[in-house]
Amino acid sequence: MRETVSHREARLLLHNKFVVVLGDSIQRSVYKDLVMLLQKDSCLTLKQLKNKGEMSFELDSLVEGGCLGQMNNGTEYREVRQYQSDHHLVRFYFVTRIFSRYMQSIMEDFRRGLKPDVLIVNSCIWDISRYNPNWTADYKENLKRFFDELKMVLPEESLVIWNLTMPLGKRIKGGFLVPEIVHKVPQLRYDVIEANFYGWTLADAYEMDVLDLHFQFRFSLQHRTTDGIHWNAIAHRRITALLLQHIAQAWGVTLAAEDGHQTAAADDAYREILTDSLSFQENPEPLAENFRPAVRSRWPRPQRKQRHNPYEQPRYGFDYMRPPYSEPYEDHRHEFVMRTRHGRPHYAPYTHRRPAHPPFHGYY
């Protein structure tokens, strides 16, 4: 899959579409990067990633909450943002719990107003840390209520993408981490993995699409910021590319700009950002914990004793044979990266239709 998509491709794919993003501060950055890409081939700055509740970001507007109300780190904090152009509408709701009285008011917005063509949603870290020490039963029940409500409110054509929560660091700090829950920090990254399992299982049971960002970024921890929770602009542009490619596949279209130079320029800009490590905060631990290189080629090769049995299989540690866990990546071997339940045809006048092929219900 491509690392990025161009501004022109994003605009054409989402032409006359209504996109809603629901979730916490990471989802807010997902919204911001999408708004940025719909206007130009640029990535977010560190200041734009850190800001919250501002009156305007890249021609969007603050609809509710944020600096219009009381800025705080409580569970009652609200922020609703919206970007609107002649042919695009993108909205963001900040939520701290997957199902609550506030979420019911959001559903009422969908019931009475415009139905989203794409709903990108995640809620996890606040749910499992701020409300109940024994969060498992509450979280599963709230997930069920949320998906039930979605089924009743949204039409079948709406594409719902459940994002799995990205990996947390060993040491974390953030606005949601009030003193009362600091003792949960050592266990929280493992709780996220468990909560991701529940979210994926229920989303799949309700025939929602799933994007496993935890899997996608498990070896990209150098792009996680020093607070152990948030991610830099490079990671967020990659998330946007994954989302747009997933949407394109669900709608049965191919991402292709009319001018190939536009895509090449976007790829060049992305590579330039990748080489500039001074623009963003970086995690001092660039590799995943417990990560071992597949082939230890820098080690001196020890002398092997002569084997008496000519049919004896060589040992991995000394013969530098490729161990099983370093086999080449094959799509069918990783079933839970991104799952598409079924196609949802949409009118996309400026994209290229894929050639006819048998129905595909597999995995990326």
Side-chain angles (χ1 to χ4, degrees), residues 168-186:
L168 295 182
K170 286 183 178 180
R171 302 176 182 87
I172 62 174
K173 56 183 179 180
F176 81 97
L177 202 61
V178 294
E180 291 80 7
I181 62 171
V182 171
H183 65 281
K184 294 185 177 182
V185 169

Side-chain angles (χ1 to χ4, degrees), residues 97-99 121-124 127-128 135-150 162 194-203 206 208:
R97 202 171 195 180
I98 191 58
F99 196 82
V121 58
N122 170 267
S123 183
C124 175
D127 296 73
I128 67 178
W135 56 268
T136 306
D138 280 352
Y139 188 57
K140 288 195 285 188
E141 179 61 28
N142 285 334
L143 282 171
K144 290 178 182 178
R145 297 171 67 187
F146 173 73
F147 289 134
D148 281 333
E149 193 74 13
L150 280 184
W162 176 261
E194 185 179 356
N196 276 343
F197 172 76
Y198 297 138
W200 175 86
T201 304
L202 285 169
Y206 281 86
M208 309 294 180

Side-chain angles (χ1 to χ4, degrees), residues 47 128 237 336:
K47 182 179 179 181
I128 67 178
R237 181 50 50 89
F336 307 122

